[in-house]
Amino acid sequence: MNALDPLLEFLSIPSVSTDPAHKEDVRKAALWLGERLRALGFRVELHETPLHPILYAERIVAEDAPTVLVYGHYDVQPPDPLELWETPPFTPTVREGRLYARGASDDKGQLWAHVAALEGFAPRVNVKFLVEGEEEIGSPHLLPFVQAHRERLRADAVLISDGAMFAPGVPTLTYGLRGLCYLEVRLKGARRDLHSGAFGGVAPNPIQALGWLLARLKDERTGRVLIPGFYERVRPVSEEEKALWPHLDEEALKAELGVEVLPGEEGYSPLERLWTRPTLDPNGVWGGYQGEGSKTVIPSEAGMKLSMRLVPDQDPEEIAELAEAYLKEVCPRGHRLEVRRLHGGKPVLTDPQSPPMRLMARALEEVWGRPVVYTREGGTIPVVAELKEALKAPIVLLGLGLPDDNLHAPNEKIDLVNLEKGLLALRRFYELLAEGG
Amino acid sequence: MNALDPLLEFLSIPSVSTDPAHKEDVRKAALWLGERLRALGFRVELHETPLHPILYAERIVAEDAPTVLVYGHYDVQPPDPLELWETPPFTPTVREGRLYARGASDDKGQLWAHVAALEGFAPRVNVKFLVEGEEEIGSPHLLPFVQAHRERLRADAVLISDGAMFAPGVPTLTYGLRGLCYLEVRLKGARRDLHSGAFGGVAPNPIQALGWLLARLKDERTGRVLIPGFYERVRPVSEEEKALWPHLDEEALKAELGVEVLPGEEGYSPLERLWTRPTLDPNGVWGGYQGEGSKTVIPSEAGMKLSMRLVPDQDPEEIAELAEAYLKEVCPRGHRLEVRRLHGGKPVLTDPQSPPMRLMARALEEVWGRPVVYTREGGTIPVVAELKEALKAPIVLLGLGLPDDNLHAPNEKIDLVNLEKGLLALRRFYELLAEGG
């Protein structure tokens, strides 16, 4: 890549949006990126929000030139557990053609390919950047911004690189993303922590109660979510669509994860489950004594983070309502339940045959020398559904990461070859677009 | 109390036996206590163990005098969660006749009543102190010590104050204790933390699996433990015994705990469940993201602390075997299970009508001016069963705490009036014993 040094600098800023302690670092990342875009001839605006700023930048070459809007995010997930990183998360390190750092793939690295593609390259295309710092916490302030600036954001295509190629060496365009509904659930029992000897047998135990709740949320045998109405709006997937999917190498996936089975909802293939079926997963749990050795306590409180991935036409708000109502209904006797909605995002499907998708497919095939595959993805980019609704522009989801990039996990990385080829494909796309397709 | 200042000093030593960071503090508490006993004319020995030292001290007045062995422990539970203490756990503070500190009731405060009773008081009784620093971690090194020193520990009565009175103002002698089997359970799924979008639907989730395990361990409707064979050795309790029990004020207990129900095993009264029925309670749980906000991770591992209170004639080793076998059997698909045994203790019943119990009852009734009640306790003092087996001496369990002492919880306290009256009763007991009963 012709511009790795600045990316290392970008990645070294710990812009963890969910952690108030990193508020200034998040801002620093936005300012840093603004400087880089300004150097490329962009007019840059930093828009304050109640939390992290939105960066908007544009390079207008001609009123009648085609216009591209690039969306990305400069915030990252928390890096813990820190002890599992081979090199520190905010000390970007290249090993064997891979760049390791928090944000290397999600999303600073992929976003950087879009910036670097425009260095010393000025196609007759108007380019706009919309970059937020709240993607990892559900983009709470982006939608109002997009709605307020709909005119300025107008574009003939929206480019987003915040996903993965289907496999190494396989150029990939994505036409579907899952949505998200993320809750925090707390159970409270007695007013104070209790000695498990003195009170065991009469005291509510919120940890035990969380276990009962989890068992009522998902059936162990079938893997199905047990919230009434959960599957009601799930749109069936046509056999035609499935026939176009690439083959998933299940054995390779098992080996990658270090597992002997791929547990999930019965009656669906792993690829169907990942791309077209909603899921429910606890993402964190806490309560009582977590230290070394033993403590015979019955805690007064326990809690968990609980998220559901959604598919068309599920709605995050409606699912949150259903989940809350059900949790209240099955809350174990003697416990008080508190549910907080942390964030959500709508699922989305885009048109794989839109004009900019066709152009991008051509550009990718020229650079990679092999046909593009079309995929859905299991992850969520909340803003995609919002941009699609607000801007009515075709969306191109060009993943430059790989499934083993360790997103949201220790040792996040990106393969540099994909950034380099991605950059070349983007330039070719701009050329094709400038030529009128 | 005529000796509160030294107790404040004793309580200010953070002798947390389960935490390696406090190893030196545990030792310091033993040395401190040794100095106090030496000042009272005791010959003091500190016996090293692989972990925390055992303190043995004796004051022999005559070969043919009756002999009493006092058992206690100078170690304490961890003080967390620290933020819930009104005053710091190791800054002992008196408020409204109550002394607040970690260890105030369990067991430094109660032990101190036995030491203070002998200050300026020299009955014709040989007194021996056996004080350990590993009670809160299951007394791993006391039994070998007791077995090796059986002759020297010989006594006509063993006095233990490490429990509670039935209610304020009610002098209490305890004749039964539950046992304990404490496990740490870990579940492992994929080899690394995974993004819940990219892998939700095919990845094992150890938090969800812990929930399924917990639901299989205890039935939500009946409150019964589901481990096969768990109840097999439980000795039935006679109607005669139950008829002697004091009345438990369930409404007062609910008010104290701040709960509307007292959940537990169906078919048994709260007092039966506390004193004569085994229980299972998770004491801690952890996994995934526990911080502020949201992180969409499927963790590779989750764990819990799990303890069972046992009753005669359950055996901790056998219960651990049964629990481990069952956990392996019901371990959710796609997960690896690891079980560690942290500690155990046998349940015990003693004779409420033994000669020293009768003397102590008389002493208590004289000091308190009201009849003694006889109770069992839900807690465990592992050494009691061991002392009973090894020394064959009658055991007197004289609780000087109260049920609301916040043992193992923030704001542990002891009511000073109970220490004072306890001290007077102990002196009267020694006088009666010296007189030959």
Side-chain angles (χ1 to χ4, degrees):
Chain A
M1 191 144 187
N2 62 352
L4 197 54
D5 282 350
L7 175 54
L8 302 186
E9 222 178 289
F10 193 23
L11 289 169
S12 69
I13 306 169
S15 49
V16 181
S17 51
T18 198
D19 186 347
H22 284 294
K23 193 166 192 308
E24 279 310 303
D25 294 314
V26 180
R27 185 177 192 80
K28 196 174 150 195
L31 291 171
W32 184 94
L33 188 64
E35 278 313 304
R36 303 299 307 188
L37 285 166
R38 201 168 280 124
L40 300 185
F42 279 77
R43 202 169 58 70
V44 176
E45 301 166 9
L46 203 68
H47 291 265
E48 301 301 334
T49 80
L51 193 50
H52 303 303
I54 291 166
L55 183 79
Y56 174 73
E58 58 181 26
R59 191 167 83 176
I60 305 298
V61 294
E63 271 298 305
D64 62 344
T67 301
V68 164
L69 174 70
V70 178
Y71 162 83
H73 64 93
Y74 63 84
D75 64 326
V76 299
Q77 282 273 318
D80 50 302
L82 282 174
E83 67 277 13
L84 297 185
W85 285 78
E86 282 182 37
T87 47
F90 299 108
T91 305
T93 308
V94 176
R95 290 194 295 277
E96 297 172 11
R98 292 160 165 190
L99 171 55
Y100 290 84
R102 171 59 84 230
S105 182
D106 178 15
D107 177 50
K108 285 170 170 172
Q110 298 200 43
L111 174 61
W112 184 247
H114 285 264
V115 178
L118 297 168
E119 275 193 330
F121 175 68
R124 194 176 176 279
V125 175
N126 300 319
V127 183
K128 302 171 176 181
F129 273 86
L130 174 66
V131 189
E132 67 164 320
E134 300 180 343
E135 197 274 342
E136 300 294 0
I137 53 170
S139 305
H141 301 113
L142 193 73
L143 180 60
F145 180 86
V146 168
Q147 281 170 339
H149 299 85
R150 210 174 292 197
E151 267 313 297
R152 296 181 63 200
L153 296 172
R154 205 143 49 98
D156 301 298
V158 178
L159 302 193
I160 302 175
S161 289
D162 191 16
M165 299 163 64
F166 184 69
V170 179
T172 305
L173 286 168
T174 299
Y175 64 95
L177 294 166
R178 289 197 288 193
L180 181 66
C181 173
Y182 200 116
L183 307 175
E184 182 168 308
V185 177
R186 286 169 191 264
L187 282 177
K188 301 188 177 193
R191 85 165 90 235
R192 58 182 170 89
D193 284 3
L194 300 172
H195 186 293
S196 71
F199 295 96
V202 298
N205 185 325
I207 303 176
Q208 178 68 52
L210 270 189
W212 286 326
L213 266 193
L214 280 167
R216 283 181 178 272
L217 283 166
K218 192 145 121 183
D219 187 79
E220 182 175 0
R221 193 183 57 76
T222 64
R224 279 180 70 85
V225 177
L226 300 171
I227 299 167
F230 184 75
Y231 293 100
E232 196 171 319
R233 293 194 197 279
V234 172
R235 202 193 296 179
V237 178
S238 69
E239 290 307 316
E240 291 70 28
E241 182 182 338
K242 284 190 238 174
L244 294 174
W245 287 351
H247 170 73
L248 176 73
D249 184 341
E250 292 181 26
E251 292 311 312
L253 180 57
K254 285 182 199 170
E256 185 202 332
L257 303 188
V259 297
E260 283 167 22
V261 291
L262 299 170
E265 188 186 0
E266 72 174 2
Y268 298 90
S269 73
L271 212 50
E272 282 179 283
R273 300 201 305 261
L274 282 171
W275 289 0
T276 71
R277 299 297 300 172
T279 61
L280 176 147
D281 273 298
N283 305 109
V285 67
W286 62 90
Y289 186 64
Q290 306 185 354
E292 265 304 299
S294 57
K295 185 182 176 192
T296 49
V297 65
I298 297 177
S300 71
E301 184 178 326
M304 65 176 167
K305 314 264 184 185
L306 186 72
S307 72
M308 290 158 278
R309 295 285 164 176
L310 310 179
V311 300
D313 296 309
Q314 288 177 303
D315 177 77
E317 289 296 315
E318 186 185 5
I319 290 294
E321 299 287 343
L322 293 175
E324 274 195 47
Y326 179 66
L327 284 167
K328 269 177 204 150
E329 185 194 321
V330 301
C331 175
R333 209 165 57 99
H335 294 82
R336 277 160 300 132
L337 176 84
E338 284 177 15
V339 181
R340 262 178 63 204
R341 300 187 191 180
L342 291 187
H343 70 258
K346 288 183 190 167
V348 69
L349 279 176
T350 66
D351 176 8
Q353 294 303 323
S354 69
M357 278 285 257
R358 285 171 183 264
L359 284 192
M360 188 65 86
R362 201 173 132 194
L364 287 169
E365 288 175 355
E366 283 182 28
V367 168
W368 285 94
R370 53 179 291 181
V372 158
V373 301
Y374 291 87
T375 67
R376 294 206 201 189
E377 265 196 23
T380 307
I381 313 173
V383 73
V384 174
E386 294 170 359
L387 289 175
K388 190 185 168 204
E389 277 174 28
L391 303 181
K392 317 273 186 229
I395 287 180
V396 177
L397 294 167
L398 170 65
L400 300 175
L402 280 174
D404 68 350
D405 275 354
N406 296 325
L407 305 192
H408 298 201
N411 303 309
E412 180 178 346
K413 59 90 181 164
I414 194 155
D415 288 31
L416 290 175
V417 62
N418 296 335
L419 285 192
E420 284 155 15
K421 293 207 174 177
L423 182 153
L424 296 177
L426 286 170
R427 288 187 174 173
R428 185 70 189 116
F429 168 81
Y430 282 119
E431 284 171 359
L432 291 169
L433 189 67
E435 287 164 14
Chain B
M1 191 147 186
N2 64 351
L4 197 54
D5 283 350
L7 174 55
L8 301 185
E9 222 178 291
F10 193 25
L11 288 169
S12 70
I13 306 169
S15 50
V16 181
S17 51
T18 198
D19 186 346
H22 284 294
K23 193 166 189 311
E24 279 310 304
D25 293 314
V26 181
R27 184 175 193 81
K28 196 174 150 195
L31 292 170
W32 184 93
L33 189 63
E35 277 313 304
R36 303 299 307 187
L37 286 167
R38 201 168 281 124
L40 300 185
F42 279 78
R43 203 170 57 72
V44 176
E45 301 165 10
L46 204 67
H47 291 264
E48 301 300 334
T49 79
L51 194 49
H52 304 303
I54 291 165
L55 182 79
Y56 175 74
E58 58 181 26
R59 191 167 83 177
I60 305 297
V61 294
E63 271 298 306
D64 62 345
T67 301
V68 163
L69 174 70
V70 178
Y71 162 84
H73 63 94
Y74 62 83
D75 64 325
V76 298
Q77 282 274 317
D80 50 300
L82 282 174
E83 67 277 13
L84 297 185
W85 285 78
E86 282 182 37
T87 47
F90 299 109
T91 305
T93 309
V94 177
R95 290 195 294 278
E96 297 173 12
R98 292 160 165 191
L99 172 55
Y100 290 85
R102 170 58 86 231
S105 183
D106 177 17
D107 176 48
K108 286 171 170 171
Q110 298 199 44
L111 174 61
W112 184 246
H114 286 264
V115 178
L118 298 168
E119 275 192 332
F121 176 68
R124 194 178 177 276
V125 175
N126 301 319
V127 184
K128 302 172 176 180
F129 274 85
L130 174 66
V131 189
E132 67 165 322
E134 300 181 342
E135 198 274 343
E136 300 294 0
I137 52 170
S139 306
H141 301 112
L142 193 73
L143 180 60
F145 180 85
V146 169
Q147 281 170 339
H149 299 84
R150 211 174 290 196
E151 267 312 299
R152 296 181 61 199
L153 296 172
R154 206 143 48 99
D156 301 297
V158 178
L159 302 192
I160 303 175
S161 289
D162 191 17
M165 300 164 64
F166 185 70
V170 179
T172 305
L173 286 169
T174 299
Y175 64 95
L177 294 167
R178 290 196 287 192
L180 182 66
C181 172
Y182 200 116
L183 307 175
E184 182 168 308
V185 178
R186 286 169 192 264
L187 281 176
K188 300 188 178 193
R191 84 165 91 237
R192 58 182 170 87
D193 283 4
L194 299 173
H195 185 293
S196 71
F199 295 95
V202 299
N205 185 324
I207 302 176
Q208 177 68 53
L210 270 189
W212 285 327
L213 267 193
L214 280 167
R216 284 180 177 272
L217 283 166
K218 192 145 123 184
D219 187 80
E220 183 175 358
R221 193 183 57 76
T222 63
R224 279 180 70 84
V225 177
L226 300 172
I227 299 167
F230 184 74
Y231 294 100
E232 197 171 319
R233 293 195 197 280
V234 173
R235 202 193 295 178
V237 178
S238 70
E239 291 307 315
E240 290 71 27
E241 181 182 339
K242 284 189 237 173
L244 294 173
W245 287 350
H247 171 73
L248 177 74
D249 184 341
E250 293 181 25
E251 293 311 312
L253 181 56
K254 285 182 199 170
E256 185 202 332
L257 303 188
V259 297
E260 283 167 22
V261 291
L262 299 170
E265 188 186 358
E266 72 174 4
Y268 298 90
S269 74
L271 211 50
E272 283 179 280
R273 299 200 305 262
L274 282 170
W275 288 0
T276 71
R277 299 297 299 171
T279 61
L280 176 147
D281 273 299
N283 305 108
V285 66
W286 63 90
Y289 186 64
Q290 306 184 354
E292 264 303 300
S294 57
K295 186 183 177 193
T296 49
V297 65
I298 298 177
S300 71
E301 184 179 326
M304 65 176 165
K305 314 265 183 185
L306 186 71
S307 71
M308 290 158 278
R309 295 284 163 177
L310 310 179
V311 299
D313 297 312
Q314 289 178 303
D315 177 76
E317 289 296 315
E318 186 185 6
I319 290 294
E321 299 287 343
L322 292 174
E324 274 194 46
Y326 179 66
L327 284 167
K328 270 178 203 150
E329 185 193 321
V330 300
C331 174
R333 208 164 58 99
H335 295 83
R336 277 160 300 133
L337 176 83
E338 282 177 17
V339 180
R340 263 177 63 201
R341 299 187 193 180
L342 290 187
H343 70 257
K346 288 184 191 168
V348 70
L349 280 177
T350 66
D351 176 8
Q353 294 303 323
S354 70
M357 278 286 256
R358 287 170 182 266
L359 285 192
M360 190 64 88
R362 201 173 133 196
L364 287 168
E365 289 174 355
E366 284 183 27
V367 169
W368 285 95
R370 53 179 291 180
V372 157
V373 303
Y374 292 87
T375 67
R376 295 206 202 188
E377 265 196 23
T380 307
I381 314 173
V383 73
V384 174
E386 294 169 359
L387 289 174
K388 189 185 169 206
E389 278 173 27
L391 303 181
K392 317 272 184 230
I395 287 179
V396 178
L397 294 167
L398 170 64
L400 300 175
L402 280 174
D404 68 350
D405 275 353
N406 296 326
L407 305 192
H408 297 201
N411 304 309
E412 180 177 345
K413 61 89 180 161
I414 194 154
D415 288 31
L416 291 175
V417 63
N418 297 334
L419 286 192
E420 284 155 15
K421 294 209 173 177
L423 181 154
L424 296 177
L426 286 170
R427 289 189 175 172
R428 187 69 191 118
F429 168 81
Y430 282 119
E431 285 171 357
L432 292 169
L433 189 65
E435 287 163 15

